[in-house]
Amino acid sequence: DSGQSSFQEKAYWKKLLVLMGGIIFNLILAYSAYVVLFVVGMPHAKELHITIESITKDSPAEKCGLQPKDIILSFNKKTLSAKPKTLAGEIKSKYLDEIKGNPGGKVKVSLLRNNNIIEKEITLGSKKEGIKTIGWLGVSTHLKPGKISYKKYSLLKSFKKGALQVKNDLVLWAYSIKI
């Protein structure tokens, strides 16, 4: 419909109001969901581990015997923290930077496999990333939570934690699109 009552024919401020209403509704919905989750019990992992999900065929990781479900404990004798907030920074500084900055070099990895600790020395491969040559291991990893507990909060504290969680989500979203 392209009549006077259609959205296309509305003034720009009215269109903006409709769009902002949708955004605000979604924020209120997210806040409400977080408050409910904090009251009934929010899943909480006290520890996270870098776990190998898959190995690229003919990669340095495959050649040295790494396997899916191996948990990486340390890298070049630098122990990786199991604390979620600390591990996020260490993934870049102790793990990714060590690999990418060392094409063709050797790295020592300590793994947990079937409750046994295994030490491996791996000769990294190299590959082009743009005009730069970087080190390459050939694994896909994910963060696997350790034991999960459920934390419950009072209603008042849940209101505060819900607001903080929405704010943190917005900051992460803005950072991910590089505002």
Side-chain angles (χ1 to χ4, degrees):
D1 186 16
S2 60
Q4 277 187 323
S5 63
S6 75
F7 185 72
Q8 288 177 323
E9 300 300 321
K10 299 291 182 191
Y12 284 109
W13 70 270
K14 288 184 179 180
K15 292 179 189 178
L16 182 63
L17 196 59
V18 169
L19 293 173
M20 292 303 293
I23 293 169
I24 291 168
F25 175 79
N26 283 321
L27 290 173
I28 292 169
L29 181 65
Y31 173 71
S32 302
Y34 278 130
V35 168
V36 169
L37 284 171
F38 283 121
V39 168
V40 299
M42 183 72 126
H44 175 73
K46 293 189 182 211
E47 54 184 45
L48 289 174
H49 303 285
I50 299 176
T51 304
I52 296 175
E53 188 171 314
S54 63
I55 311 280
T56 304
K57 188 170 176 50
D58 298 324
S59 67
E62 184 184 59
K63 291 174 185 168
C64 83
L66 296 186
Q67 297 176 6
K69 297 185 182 176
D70 283 350
I71 295 173
I72 300 173
L73 300 175
S74 70
F75 208 78
N76 276 347
K77 298 188 180 187
K78 296 176 186 170
T79 302
L80 297 167
S81 174
K83 295 179 182 174
K85 289 182 180 179
T86 308
L87 181 60
E90 289 180 350
I91 288 172
K92 181 170 178 358
S93 66
K94 291 183 180 177
Y95 179 66
L96 294 176
D97 288 349
E98 290 277 338
I99 293 170
K100 287 185 172 186
N102 196 8
K106 292 186 185 287
V107 293
K108 292 182 180 181
V109 181
S110 179
L111 307 163
L112 182 64
R113 180 186 298 157
N114 300 325
N115 292 325
N116 297 314
I117 295 177
I118 300 168
E119 304 286 333
K120 297 274 188 180
E121 184 171 272
I122 306 166
T123 302
L124 296 173
S126 60
K127 68 178 186 175
K128 286 280 195 190
E129 188 173 87
I131 59 170
K132 194 174 175 184
T133 301
I134 61 168
W136 177 65
L137 183 56
V139 296
S140 173
T141 60
H142 68 276
L143 294 177
K144 181 180 178 187
K147 186 177 180 185
I148 295 176
S149 60
Y150 290 86
K151 262 189 162 175
K152 293 182 180 184
Y153 297 92
S154 68
L155 186 60
L156 181 60
K157 192 156 189 166
S158 293
F159 284 124
K160 291 178 184 176
K161 296 222 28 109
L164 181 63
Q165 189 67 45
V166 169
K167 181 199 95 160
N168 289 343
D169 288 351
L170 285 172
V171 168
L172 284 172
W173 173 78
Y175 179 74
S176 72
I177 61 169
K178 297 184 190 315
I179 288 183

